[in-house]
Amino acid sequence: MTANIIDGTAIAAGLKAEIKHAVAKRLQDGKRAPGLAVILVGNDAASAVYVNKKRQSCEEVGFLSRSFDLPADTTQEALNDLVATLNNDPEIDGILVQLPLPSHLDDKAVINAIRPDKDVDGFHPYNMGRLVQRIPLLRPCTPKGIMRLIESTQVPLHGLEAVIVGASNIVGRPMTLELLLAGCTVTTCHRFTKHLQQHVARADLLVVAVGKAEFIPGDWIKPGAIVIDVGINRCDDGKLRGDVEFGPALERAAWITPVPGGVGPLTVATLLENTLIAAQDLHP
């Protein structure tokens, strides 16, 4: 068996085309373009790359894009003041604060300061709470994008044994909620989990998000499984690798995401989708 590749780049391009069409329709109807404000604090190179991709994607689909690049010594008060200003800006539908922040800043306080209807990352307790209660509104981007990748396989999800490796607030925990909502039986593994191999080996659907290159050996994968690799790790040889050992996993899985070109493009496209939803449904 050789797995089918889930082409995140192509799926994201299709979603962005839909968003671009919706923006053009809004403009035809005399409505304003959706607006996204992106805040970057400090000089983290990886964060700068991600932010540039998000800004470029905004321009591709016709969004109003506002950029705020703040120095690394920005105070909590100054950052909160900027968020407050954007909260009250009628041209801005979404506010994104790129994480991680410099260590002297409280990321939870910043997330809580964003108005829930402009929280297009989906991290505010209000939006996470709605997902818990099975009435999602603005859903966390990476898990929501992963659901679109999984749905592209057309494999029925009800009753599948789903295993998530990694329990972060950004991916693992909301991913658990998304898969419960989809009707899977879900196990979430974390740093205290015992017998990790046994959990992975029974997964019909495996999502791995730990940020460690090839952390899951490919021969752990259950034959015929769907494998979603969220990790993207720059290795000593300069190559990018995921959290799953790709070669052996490719020979066992039925479906697998590549790294790069899998989850990453959908995260950015879903951010745009959330911003469009905020413009259309929350700020009509």
Side-chain angles (χ1 to χ4, degrees), residues 31-47:
K31 299 177 181 178
R32 59 177 180 79
L36 177 64
V38 180
I39 302 171
L40 175 64
V41 185
N43 303 307
D44 182 79
S47 290

Side-chain angles (χ1 to χ4, degrees), residues 36-87:
L36 177 64
V38 180
I39 302 171
L40 175 64
V41 185
N43 303 307
D44 182 79
S47 290
V49 170
Y50 294 140
V51 163
N52 285 335
K53 287 181 180 177
K54 291 166 184 175
R55 290 169 178 165
Q56 289 168 8
S57 294
C58 279
E59 294 173 6
E60 287 174 24
V61 300
F63 281 9
L64 169 69
S65 176
R66 293 220 187 131
S67 302
F68 300 89
D69 294 342
L70 307 181
D73 61 355
T74 297
T75 65
Q76 188 82 44
E77 182 180 12
L79 183 54
N80 287 354
D81 286 348
L82 174 57
V83 168
T85 298
L86 295 170
N87 278 340

Side-chain angles (χ1 to χ4, degrees), residues 108-189:
K108 293 182 178 62
V110 175
I111 290 167
N112 288 346
I114 297 171
R115 248 172 53 183
D117 58 299
K118 295 193 176 188
D119 167 42
V120 288
D121 253 341
F123 296 155
H124 192 283
Y126 174 83
N127 286 317
M128 291 288 277
R130 286 191 63 118
L131 185 56
V132 169
Q133 293 183 327
R134 295 182 283 184
I135 46 171
L137 189 58
L138 294 175
R139 294 152 60 188
C141 295
T142 298
K144 184 182 179 185
I146 289 171
M147 292 308 298
R148 186 176 287 266
L149 292 171
I150 294 169
E151 288 161 8
S152 76
T153 69
Q154 298 185 322
V155 174
L157 297 183
H158 283 183
L160 287 191
E161 287 278 352
V163 174
I164 300 164
V165 182
S168 71
N169 289 346
I170 293 173
V171 182
R173 291 170 191 263
M175 192 74 246
T176 298
L177 297 171
E178 288 281 4
L179 290 172
L180 282 172
L181 197 58
C184 296
T185 300
V186 186
T187 300
T188 305
C189 301

